[in-house]
Amino acid sequence: MSRNDKSSGGKISGRQGGGERKKSYSRGNAPVKKSADAKEKSKSSSASDGIRLNKYIANAGVCSRRDADIYISSGNVTVNGKTVTEMGYKVQLNDDVKFDGRSLNPEKPEYFLLNKPKGFFTTGSVVKGGRTVMDIMGKASKSKLDPVGKLDTQAMGLLLFTNDGTLAKSLAKPKNGIRQIYHLELNKVLSQEDLEKIREGVFVDKTRLTVQDVSYVTDRPKNEVGLEIKSIKPHIVQKLFKTLGYEIVKMDRVVYGGLTKKDLPRGHYRSLTQQELINLKNL
C-alpha cells in the first residue's frame, strides 16, 4: 500500500479513495424521514383541494372551460345554493353544483344502447345464479351506468344506459311518452276481433290504453304481432294482452325513442351518436 493510501495516522483516508467513505451527518446531512401522519396529512390535503369549478362544468358536458369562466362570472352557477363568481373557485365532488338551476354531474356524460338478451335481470333483486345486464355493461365505462326504465327479465331488445341523471329523469316522465315498437309472440293466434279492440283502446287498470298501432307481422303466423305504444308504465304490454286472455311467449323491443337495433347484435352494446342524443333530448 502506498503512502498516498494512508493518512498520517496510518488509517485509510476516504479522501484518497482507498475504501468506501462513510457518510457524514455532522453538517446536518442526516436524511429526513416523513412520519406516517405527515404522509397521511399530505394525502388528505391533496384530496381536499377539490376541482376547479370551470373544469367541473366542462366535465359535465355543458361547455368548454373558457366558456364556463364566462358563465361563472355572469352568475349562472351556484354551489350548494350560493352563487359563485370567483375565478379559480374549487369544489368537491359531493357539492351540489347547478348551472341555470340544473344540477350537474362532474363525470363526462355517457350514453350506451344495449340489445338485451333474454334471461338477464335489469333491476331489483336477483335470484341465486341469475345474471344482470351489468354483467354485459360492466366494462363499457368506468362511470356508474344505470338503465333507463325497465325491461322484464324474459324480454329482449333495446335498453338505454347512461350516467346522465337529468336525461334519465326526463325520459322516465316524458309528457307524451316514448315511442316503442315491440315484436311479440303470443301463446295463441290473435283474433281479428281482439286486434280491433286493441286499436280502439282497451281498459287496463281502469284506464283506457291507447296504442299507436298494432298489426300482424308480415309473412309470420298470426300469433306474432307488432305493437307500437308510447306508455312507459311497468308491465303495461303484458297487462294489455292478459286482459284479452293472451300470454306473451316472446317479447322483443325493436325501437325505443327513435333508436333501432340496426347493426346491433343480441348481447352487444354501442355508444349513441351525437344526432341520436340530440333526438332523445328533444323528446
Side-chain angles (χ1 to χ4, degrees), residues 16-282:
Q16 306 302 328
E20 185 177 353
R21 183 180 181 182
K22 294 182 179 179
K23 293 180 181 178
S24 170
Y25 299 144
S26 61
R27 298 184 183 177
N29 296 324
V32 178
K33 293 183 179 180
K34 288 187 178 179
S35 66
D37 289 344
K39 288 181 181 178
E40 194 60 36
K41 185 177 180 182
S42 176
K43 263 187 191 177
S44 174
S45 174
S46 176
S48 64
D49 281 346
I51 178 175
R52 280 179 173 268
L53 184 55
N54 61 354
K55 183 179 179 182
Y56 187 108
I57 295 170
N59 286 354
V62 175
C63 58
S64 67
R65 289 194 196 185
R66 181 175 296 180
D67 288 341
D69 283 334
I70 297 174
Y71 288 123
I72 292 169
S73 62
S74 299
N76 295 74
V77 182
T78 62
V79 179
N80 299 325
K82 296 182 179 180
T83 301
V84 174
T85 57
E86 176 189 338
M87 294 296 102
Y89 187 88
K90 290 187 176 182
V91 295
Q92 301 300 314
L93 292 179
N94 59 353
D95 283 338
D96 180 22
V97 180
K98 291 185 178 181
F99 179 83
D100 285 345
R102 177 170 63 90
S103 293
L104 301 183
N105 183 343
E107 294 181 324
K108 180 182 178 182
E110 295 182 281
Y111 311 87
F112 295 92
L113 185 66
L114 168 69
N115 187 349
K116 176 185 172 296
K118 183 178 180 179
F120 281 75
F121 289 85
T122 302
T123 56
S125 59
V126 180
V127 297
K128 187 175 181 180
R131 297 173 296 178
T132 74
V133 288
M134 295 316 298
D135 291 331
I136 302 174
M137 299 299 300
K139 295 182 180 180
S141 170
K142 292 181 179 179
S143 299
K144 184 181 182 298
L145 300 173
D146 291 310
V148 177
K150 296 181 180 180
L151 203 54
D152 287 349
T153 306
Q154 297 308 311
M156 303 176 289
L158 300 179
L159 190 59
L160 181 65
F161 288 80
T162 183
N163 60 347
D164 184 345
T166 301
L167 179 64
K169 288 179 182 178
S170 173
L171 294 177
K173 297 180 180 179
K175 294 180 181 179
N176 301 314
I178 296 177
R179 180 173 179 256
Q180 303 164 78
I181 297 179
Y182 291 91
H183 179 181
L184 306 171
E185 182 179 330
L186 309 176
N187 63 330
K188 58 184 179 181
V189 170
L190 179 66
S191 69
Q192 185 65 45
E193 181 183 359
D194 287 336
L195 184 72
E196 293 302 327
K197 284 182 181 178
I198 295 173
R199 283 176 177 165
E200 292 170 5
V202 176
F203 277 89
V204 178
D205 293 337
K206 299 180 181 180
T207 303
R208 188 190 234 7
L209 177 63
T210 302
V211 304
Q212 278 53 56
D213 194 15
V214 61
S215 62
Y216 299 113
V217 176
T218 306
D219 299 327
R220 300 294 297 173
K222 290 194 174 182
N223 68 324
E224 293 190 36
V225 297
L227 177 74
E228 182 177 342
I229 190 172
K230 285 192 172 182
S231 174
I232 58 171
K233 292 182 179 179
H235 314 296
I236 192 66
V237 177
Q238 292 90 330
K239 289 179 180 179
L240 167 62
F241 285 92
K242 189 174 182 179
T243 300
L244 297 173
Y246 299 87
E247 289 184 12
I248 297 175
V249 176
K250 181 180 176 182
M251 182 175 183
D252 191 1
R253 184 156 67 185
V254 296
V255 172
Y256 177 80
L259 303 172
T260 72
K261 297 198 306 176
K262 183 180 179 182
D263 299 326
L264 187 61
R266 191 83 68 200
H268 289 69
Y269 59 85
R270 65 171 177 81
S271 298
L272 264 58
T273 66
Q274 191 61 36
Q275 188 57 55
E276 286 173 333
L277 181 56
I278 292 172
N279 294 342
L280 273 182
K281 290 185 175 182
N282 287 333

